[in-house]
């Protein structure tokens, strides 16, 4: 892989999708797949798939298509999900608890260590068995456990303050669910904003245009 | 707006972002904004913003920039969030409850009417005051209330069965959180798959490449 090459956001957006489709192929016992077949399943063109993979060296399609397991390993490696990321969730409300229960994180080596909350009534243990600690223990926990990623499932009004705290404690990445494009000036923490309502607005767009068509 | 023009997925993906940024500008008392300023805030180029808006007729930038409120109305109209969508949530677990509490849906005219679940212990009322009904009442509720959108916050193993049921009851759109690309053959229901883990995989990609850089 040529790490100096610029990879467009659109290509990067498709990587998790490739990963999911390849997992599904493995689960269904497929060992090889052609770019034609993969593209058909994903609603892309075969040349799009080949172009995408060429950004990363092509993944050596030989004879009949790609080896599914090898291809999955390569995509997982590019995504960095071939190694464990330690994760904490700040905000043990419904969304925090839902993420703590989500089976696909563990599968992708996102290892959730604990949840944190300011509300004393939720301190204890989640249904899934994870500890919920008071926010006062955040700093020592992050330093002792070398936490990579902090998930923010707290209100927008708290997001900058808590994000700044996470960054100061040495967290490398923030996955932000507070409905704002979180920015933490002067920090090199990497922030991914998960805007839930963007997805339902896209659904609305499609419904709206289906009605017109 | 020329409805026959093909609008690329990348442009459509940016529409909810424009909408959010314009809302924030309005909240902060801005009345006009130039494409330069808007693009800077959004991390795009000014020519990208103008190109995007040209797909929809340009929105008449005059003198100094766009009128923020008018521009927001135009984008909201294109997204179809200028009129109410009635919504039900199937699955009243943590994720369903989190979505039921999410303030931005009501703001964008996604009007959640009720939740449904098969588990008798969650039937009743959510913390936010919404009714939770047994799934056996799904069909009659959808027909009586003319429901537009069904949100699936149920396990992957139930998604096709429940999605098919929603489609048969006349639901127009499904917002699917079950971790699969839901397909319902033979139905013209529109499906938007919200893959939560795609977003954390993109974070992982960025962390991985920041380490290399």
């Amino acid at each position: 892989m040529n790490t100096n090459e610029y990879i467009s956001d659109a290509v990067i957006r498709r990587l998790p999708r490739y990963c999911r489709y390849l997992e599904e192929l493995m689960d269904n016992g497929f060992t090889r797949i052609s770019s034609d077949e993969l593209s058909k399943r994903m609603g892309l063109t075969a040349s799009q798939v080949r172009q995408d993979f060429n950004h990363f060296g092509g993944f050596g399609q030989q004879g009949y298509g790609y080896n599914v397991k090898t291809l999955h390993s390569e995509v997982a490696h590019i995504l960095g999900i071939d190694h464990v990321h330690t994760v904490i969730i700040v905000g043990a409300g419904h969304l925090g608890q839902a993420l703590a229960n989500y089976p696909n994180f563990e599968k992708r080596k996102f290892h959730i260590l604990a949840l944190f909350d300011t509300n004393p009534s939720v301190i204890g243990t989640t249904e899934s068995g994870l500890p919920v600690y008071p926010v006062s223990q955040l700093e020592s926990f992050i330093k002792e456990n070398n936490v990579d990623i902090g998930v923010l499932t707290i209100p927008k009004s708290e997001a900058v303050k808590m994000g700044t705290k996470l960054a100061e404690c040495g967290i490398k990445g923030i996955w932000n669910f507070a409905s704002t494009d979180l920015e933490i000036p002067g920090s090199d923490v990497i922030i991914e904003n998960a805007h839930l309502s963007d997805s339902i607005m896209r659904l609305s767009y499609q419904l709206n245009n289906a009605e017109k068509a």
Side-chain angles (χ1 to χ4, degrees), chain A residues 35 39 43-50:
Chain A
S35 47
S39 61
L44 301 168
T45 67
S47 100
Q48 180 71 84
V49 169
R50 285 188 296 262

Side-chain angles (χ1 to χ4, degrees), chain A residues 194-207:
Chain A
H195 287 287
L196 288 178
S197 55
D198 282 17
S199 179
I200 195 173
M201 285 196 262
R202 285 198 296 274
L203 176 58
S204 168
Y205 174 86
Q206 291 175 71
L207 286 171

Side-chain angles (χ1 to χ4, degrees), chain A residues 86-89 111-116 130-149 169 171:
Chain A
T86 49
V87 179
I88 58 165
I89 297 175
H111 186 45
I112 301 172
L113 301 177
L115 292 84
F116 290 83
L130 285 167
V132 185
Y133 297 123
V135 163
S136 58
Q137 294 178 24
L138 197 55
E139 187 166 351
S140 58
F141 188 92
I142 292 173
K143 290 183 176 164
E144 279 161 27
N145 294 277
N146 207 4
V147 179
D148 299 314
I149 295 173
C169 293
I171 285 266

Side-chain angles (χ1 to χ4, degrees), chain A residues 99 105 149-153 173-178 190-194:
Chain A
L99 295 176
F105 294 145
I149 295 173
V151 184
L152 290 184
T153 49
I174 292 176
W175 193 25
N176 172 45
F177 281 85
I190 291 171
I191 299 168
E192 168 79 20
N193 295 296

